[in-house]
Amino acid sequence: MSSLPMSSGSQVATITVGKANADADPDAAPGLTEVLTAHLGPEAALIPVTTVTWAPYEHVNVQGAVDRWLARNGAPFRLVGIAGFRHRSFGLSDLFHHSGTQGMAVGGVSVTDQPSGPGEQTRTCVQAGLYLVDGVDGPDDGDRTEDPRPPLVLLLRGTEQRGPQPDVSLEIACSDRALAREAAAEIRRLAVEVSVYRGHVIEFGAEMFGPHQSVLSFHERPVMTREELILPPGMLEGIEAQILGVNRHRAALLAHGQHLKRGVLLFGPPGTGKTHTVRYLMSRLPETTVIVLTANALRLIGQACEIARALQPALVVVEDVDLIAQDRSNHMNATPLLFQLLNEMDGLDGDADVTFLLTTNRVDVLEPALAMRPGRVDHAVEVPLPDATGRARLLDLYRGGLDLDLSDADTLIERTAGVTASFIKELIRRATLISLENQNHAEIPATGLRVSANHLDAALDVLTGSRHALTRRLLGAPEAMTD
Ligand SMILES: Nc1ncnc2c1ncn2[C@@H]1O[C@H](COP(=O)(O)OP(=O)(O)O)[C@@H](O)[C@H]1O
Ligand SMILES: [Mg+2]
């Protein structure tokens, strides 16, 4: 966080009041009460205040909304900073009285950079500032003069970590209460309209700074082709029909009275490509807002659904749901988080274009809960271990640019019966390593490295050897593998 005078960016002439910066002696700076009274008039202290709050991660959107609202409103305004606001609990109405401003004064505008897009994109947001918006005379269009609009004051405050300010808040004071309410409603609406999260892949993390804090972070959307995903014939088509098809035919489905909301469950052994499939689907839905919830952030499912509803079309991804299904810490024998997830899935409007995509390695743990809450998941797909054809395709995929000797592929495919896709991938990597170890460094080609059938055999021997029982389990292979 830094403190600097900020111009208000209005198209009309503005003054930035920054006589004192935050470090200066507050007593020497103009009083906040005087500034507010000068703007709102002597009755300022009697003016009601309308308050709106948002979750911390909405700060960037609230700033965008305030900026847009000011531009639309068109009246001149100035932005006034507050010195000495940190760790202080106060509201706009407190500032109308001298007694409420102790230790605070007009100061430089304190700002904070908030993430606004993938990569390191950020946007500067006001951490604590008063927008003094002028009143305007009603336009005179000949026949009649519209009522003049009285002046307004907006107090914008970002979240203070560990401070008395858990939320982002906006307080609006105006002698015309309806006008203040209207502005509040409009800014609330605009915060959704301008949301920087729309159409991006975002992950909800657990709190870092206390029980109320949740963090959203941007992720790059994966880029994947269909060829990179080896699944039994027809399986991906089924998933795509359910997820992408509904997305494509959204308007027609609604017109014919069909709901859009859908729940897809991918289950199967670890390492078979459930996460891989999720990544592929994300890459196929470039316009869709993707909200990834990790199992430890699942109690934020309510907030995640709220974002999904606001920024639809949206995909809510909850991976490894079995982990939460097994969390029996809160209630005897119950799985409260899982039930909460299922309830949230049910609570969302059917015509919301929201897909829930769940994955699990342990469908047995999940099944009782899903059976008790029918209709939440309308497409459950088993992602199986690859069969012989699948293993052959995987060998082909993961050989990449290698000169891989597959003259005895049949034996290899037979020997790898029961392994996962990720095992095949690791097998090729190990064989490549063995090949590299056996080459003279100077002779290693830039591309097309030769990996012989012997290298593959040696790698498989290592992975199937007794010392690698745990490795096998981790990669997803039968306990004992024979040759
Ligand atoms: N069906 C598949 N097709 C191609 N590659 C796969 C497949 N399954 C797994 N892999 C490879 O193995 C890695 C781990 O798989 P992952 O999708 O994380 O497994 P899961 O989520 O089912 O436990 C993937 O990143 C990918 O490189
Ligand atoms: Mg996974």
Side-chain angles (χ1 to χ4, degrees):
M1 217 185 322
S2 59
S3 188
L4 50 88
M6 229 176 79
S7 103
S8 53
S10 164
Q11 70 279 41
V12 240
T14 57
I15 324 152
T16 302
V17 179
K19 269 189 194 160
N21 65 34
D23 306 321
D25 175 10
D27 297 333
L32 287 162
T33 308
E34 282 76 19
V35 169
L36 288 170
T37 312
H39 187 71
L40 290 172
E43 302 285 283
L46 303 175
I47 290 179
V49 173
T50 301
T51 305
V52 198
T53 60
W54 290 264
Y57 50 81
E58 292 290 344
H59 193 172
V60 60
N61 298 326
V62 176
Q63 184 67 61
V66 166
D67 290 350
R68 173 111 20 134
W69 180 84
L70 287 166
R72 278 193 191 166
N73 184 59
F77 68 91
R78 58 201 171 110
L79 175 57
V80 175
I82 303 171
F85 73 91
R86 287 201 177 84
H87 315 300
R88 291 283 300 265
S89 167
F90 65 92
L92 186 49
S93 56
D94 297 318
L95 304 183
F96 294 150
H97 305 278
H98 285 286
S99 57
T101 63
Q102 281 187 1
M104 291 189 282
V106 167
V109 177
S110 179
V111 296
T112 164
D113 285 341
Q114 295 286 317
S116 63
E120 297 295 301
Q121 290 177 57
T122 57
R123 170 175 192 159
T124 301
C125 299
V126 170
Q127 179 65 12
L130 290 161
Y131 290 89
L132 308 182
V133 186
D134 284 359
V136 284
D137 294 334
D140 186 352
D141 61 5
D143 294 349
R144 62 194 181 91
T145 306
E146 273 183 37
D147 290 342
R149 275 183 292 158
L152 282 112
V153 172
L154 278 59
L155 168 62
L156 174 59
R157 290 193 72 188
T159 307
E160 256 188 81
Q161 288 155 11
R162 287 182 255 254
Q165 178 73 18
D167 298 314
V168 176
S169 69
L170 184 71
E171 296 186 54
I172 306 178
C174 180
S175 62
D176 181 346
R177 182 111 200 232
L179 207 62
R181 280 217 201 95
E182 219 172 86
E186 181 68 359
I187 291 169
R188 191 189 270 289
R189 200 187 58 69
L190 283 170
V192 174
E193 189 179 303
V194 304
S195 176
V196 296
Y197 303 124
R198 187 183 303 280
H200 285 290
V201 178
I202 51 178
E203 181 176 319
F204 246 112
E207 84 277 7
M208 274 161 47
F209 304 107
H212 301 294
Q213 300 276 5
S214 46
V215 277
L216 272 190
S217 49
F218 286 92
H219 286 246
E220 298 289 345
R221 191 176 295 266
V223 179
M224 248 183 86
T225 62
R226 210 189 174 97
E227 290 68 44
E228 291 171 73
L229 184 58
I230 310 291
L231 295 174
M235 174 181 295
L236 191 55
E237 288 73 11
I239 300 169
E240 285 186 323
Q242 186 67 358
I243 295 182
L244 311 181
V246 174
N247 195 272
R248 234 183 349 256
H249 300 294
R250 172 194 168 112
L253 281 165
L254 282 177
H256 291 90
Q258 302 301 309
H259 68 273
L260 302 180
K261 184 176 68 174
R262 51 227 185 265
V264 174
L265 174 70
L266 305 179
F267 66 97
T272 48
K274 298 179 294 297
T275 300
H276 211 44
T277 306
V278 170
R279 289 167 53 79
Y280 168 75
L281 292 167
M282 286 185 197
S283 82
R284 285 295 310 273
L285 291 163
E287 316 268 284
T288 296
T289 311
V290 179
I291 301 148
V292 179
L293 262 182
T294 53
N296 72 341
L298 209 92
R299 43 173 200 73
L300 305 172
I301 180 70
Q303 289 174 58
C305 285
E306 206 175 294
I307 295 183
R309 189 189 297 113
L311 305 183
Q312 55 181 290
L315 177 69
V316 179
V317 176
V318 186
E319 286 235 60
D320 302 312
V321 255
D322 48 293
L323 296 180
I324 49 149
Q326 288 175 61
D327 175 9
R328 299 178 179 217
S329 48
N330 289 355
H331 297 280
M332 279 200 319
N333 260 352
T335 56
L337 280 177
L338 179 62
F339 285 143
Q340 193 189 337
L341 167 66
L342 298 173
N343 286 342
E344 291 286 347
M345 286 172 74
D346 197 43
L348 207 67
D349 295 341
D351 56 4
D353 189 352
V354 175
T355 307
F356 289 88
L357 185 54
L358 317 180
T359 72
T360 183
N361 300 332
R362 296 279 317 273
V363 77
D364 54 314
V365 176
L366 229 57
E367 229 178 84
L370 290 173
M372 278 172 69
R373 301 274 196 289
R376 270 65 159 182
V377 168
D378 38 44
H379 195 73
V381 182
E382 179 171 11
V383 184
L385 295 169
D387 61 8
T389 315
R391 294 198 296 282
R393 290 171 62 205
L394 284 161
L395 282 173
D396 202 41
L397 171 66
Y398 287 115
R399 69 196 290 182
L402 296 169
D403 177 12
L404 190 67
D405 179 4
L406 289 176
S407 54
D408 197 14
D410 287 350
T411 312
L412 190 65
I413 287 163
E414 210 173 291
R415 280 187 69 191
T416 50
V419 307
T420 58
S422 59
F423 185 99
I424 302 274
K425 189 181 174 190
E426 179 61 12
L427 175 68
I428 294 180
R429 190 175 72 105
R430 297 244 178 176
T432 308
L433 263 175
I434 294 172
S435 159
L436 286 170
E437 302 264 307
N438 287 307
Q439 308 247 352
N440 195 331
H441 192 72
E443 286 167 13
I444 295 175
T447 56
L449 177 75
R450 176 80 184 157
V451 178
S452 69
N454 281 344
H455 296 145
L456 277 168
D457 260 358
L460 191 56
D461 286 343
V462 171
L463 286 174
T464 56
S466 57
R467 277 187 293 130
H468 279 282
L470 179 58
T471 308
R472 277 200 297 285
R473 275 207 298 284
L474 297 179
L475 287 171
E479 283 285 304
M481 284 182 71
T482 47
D483 35 3

